[in-house]
Amino acid sequence: METIVPELISALEQLSAPPPSIPWTVEDLAELKRFNQSFGAQGAARRVDALADPDTLCVMTGQQPGILTGPLYTLYKAVGAWVLAEEAERRLGRTVVAGFWIASDDHDFEEMRPVTWLNKDGACVTHETAPKSAPPTVALPLGAISAHAIPMDALDMSALFRHLRLSCHPGIQLTALLDELERFADESQTMEDFFGRCMVRLMGPDTPLVYVSPRLRCIRRVQERVLRRM
């Protein structure tokens, strides 16, 4: 990271002008703010206002949503975008917003459902979340449905939490964390929603990382122009 950040910022400094972009409307910003507030990203919601300025730059990263956030590099990406945005803002003297693209239009549930952790014996354990009323070996019967449309109440999350409680070293912190994650699962409407809550829990609610979803109207409005050209 220490090597890559200066190189990326130098590349930004060499831009004679930022690439053209479609301005955000008041409605766009309001929708994006509501989306971030829906799973507790208060720092992100405050940062959204900066996008109204056409001189604002963005550093974007992203990943498909996974159960309990998915692979560890998902967090590395999020932290990396945050660090790069802060350093670029300091070096360039202009507002730079860090963004995380939740690729919730992805429908490959086989990639999204595994969770791997170290058990009390130090061995890797993998659990694959399955649909309710179906054995783990059966593929998700929802078919080619995007993650933002997969309802949480269709997934057997209780089996995952039970596996975690039994295989990990017991303790007050583990119990408190799993209780909180179970509450997130109960409160979440979709996989995208649950992913967002887990990310905010790990990154912190005041982190200035703006979460974006391809299903949002403000994003589809821009995508439509690109797809029409293609």
Side-chain angles (χ1 to χ4, degrees):
M1 180 66 74
E2 293 179 358
T3 304
I4 296 174
V5 168
E7 292 180 356
L8 291 174
I9 294 176
S10 295
L12 288 174
E13 289 175 323
Q14 293 171 14
L15 289 174
S16 57
S21 61
I22 300 173
W24 293 84
T25 67
V26 174
E27 292 77 15
D28 290 341
L29 297 174
E31 182 187 27
L32 188 57
K33 185 176 291 188
R34 287 194 303 271
F35 175 68
N36 280 269
Q37 290 173 330
S38 68
F39 45 79
Q42 300 302 327
R46 291 191 293 269
R47 196 64 169 164
V48 164
D49 292 332
L51 297 174
D53 186 345
D55 290 329
T56 295
L57 297 176
C58 292
V59 174
M60 292 296 299
T61 188
Q63 181 65 28
Q64 68 186 151
I67 300 294
L68 300 186
T69 72
L72 191 57
Y73 59 68
T74 301
L75 291 176
Y76 292 160
K77 287 181 178 184
V79 173
W82 177 17
V83 170
L84 178 57
E86 287 194 340
E87 182 63 15
E89 186 167 278
R90 186 184 68 81
R91 287 270 297 271
L92 301 176
R94 60 192 299 182
T95 303
V96 183
V97 172
F100 189 97
W101 181 275
I102 302 176
S104 58
D105 50 354
D106 194 312
H107 58 264
D108 190 348
F109 187 70
E110 293 303 313
E111 283 190 357
M112 292 184 276
R113 70 177 185 159
V115 179
T116 300
W117 65 90
L118 293 177
N119 66 9
K120 62 183 68 175
D121 298 320
C124 282
V125 177
T126 298
H127 180 97
E128 294 192 348
T129 302
K132 288 181 179 177
S133 304
T137 55
V138 175
L140 185 70
L142 299 175
I145 297 179
S146 299
H148 63 71
I150 297 177
M152 284 301 294
D153 59 10
L155 305 178
D156 187 6
M157 297 298 293
S158 60
L160 169 62
F161 295 128
R162 184 166 58 250
H163 195 171
L164 282 164
R165 290 182 190 276
L166 293 175
S167 66
C168 295
H169 284 289
I172 297 175
Q173 290 184 335
L174 175 67
T175 299
L177 175 60
L178 291 180
D179 286 347
E180 188 173 20
L181 292 174
E182 285 190 272
R183 177 170 57 81
F184 288 169
D186 290 339
E187 293 175 349
S188 300
Q189 297 296 314
T190 66
M191 241 189 104
E192 176 190 74
D193 188 11
F194 182 60
F195 175 83
R197 292 170 191 263
C198 290
M199 285 292 291
V200 170
R201 172 62 174 79
L202 291 171
M203 295 291 293
D206 293 322
T207 302
L209 184 68
V210 177
Y211 297 91
V212 183
S213 168
R215 70 174 175 81
L216 297 178
R217 184 180 298 273
C218 60
I219 301 300
R220 289 185 172 180
R221 179 177 69 88
V222 180
Q223 288 177 329
E224 181 182 6
R225 301 189 185 189
V226 176
L227 293 174
R228 285 184 182 277
R229 287 202 304 270
M230 294 175 62

